[in-house]
């Protein structure tokens, strides 16, 4: 266990960030599943805007890799355009 005050604080802040990252990542995955499951084009386009924003935010904060975000956005856009 850490003895320094700063190390203890780092442990606490890392845990808080881990939980926040997990929540944001899980929420994004849920929205992606919801988008893939929809068949209405207008609803899908609205969801796509929201999902792209979420993916960009995750990539910006290095929660997911930027190429993974780009691949997801590309695939989802192609899927929505084919509806």
């Amino acid at each position: 266990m850490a003895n320094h005050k700063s190390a203890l604080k780092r442990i606490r802040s890392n845990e808080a960030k881990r939980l926040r990252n997990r929540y944001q990542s899980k929420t994004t995955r849920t929205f992606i599943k919801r988008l893939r499951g929809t068949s209405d084009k207008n609803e899908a386009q609205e969801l796509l805007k929201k999902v792209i924003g979420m993916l960009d935010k995750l990539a910006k904060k290095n929660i997911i890799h930027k190429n993974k975000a780009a691949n997801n956005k590309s695939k989802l856009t192609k899927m929505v355009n084919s509806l």
Side-chain angles (χ1 to χ4, degrees), residues 29-80:
R29 285 198 306 268
T30 304
F31 270 86
I32 289 172
K33 286 177 191 168
R34 193 181 299 171
L35 176 59
R36 285 199 174 116
T38 188
S39 57
D40 180 34
K41 187 165 178 103
N42 290 330
E43 182 184 347
Q45 286 175 338
E46 291 300 315
L47 265 175
L48 181 65
K49 290 179 188 174
K50 193 173 220 176
V51 168
I52 285 176
M54 295 170 117
L55 287 169
D56 285 337
K57 190 173 182 181
L58 291 178
K60 180 180 168 190
K61 295 184 175 187
N62 288 326
I63 299 170
I64 62 173
H65 195 274
K66 63 177 184 169
N67 291 352
K68 180 179 173 67
N71 286 336
N72 278 339
K73 291 191 302 187
S74 174
K75 287 176 186 173
L76 291 171
T77 304
K78 281 174 68 175
M79 190 269 304
V80 168

Side-chain angles (χ1 to χ4, degrees), residues 21-32:
N21 290 345
R22 241 177 93 190
Y23 170 76
Q24 290 174 346
S25 186
K26 180 63 177 168
T27 306
T28 304
R29 285 198 306 268
T30 304
F31 270 86
I32 289 172

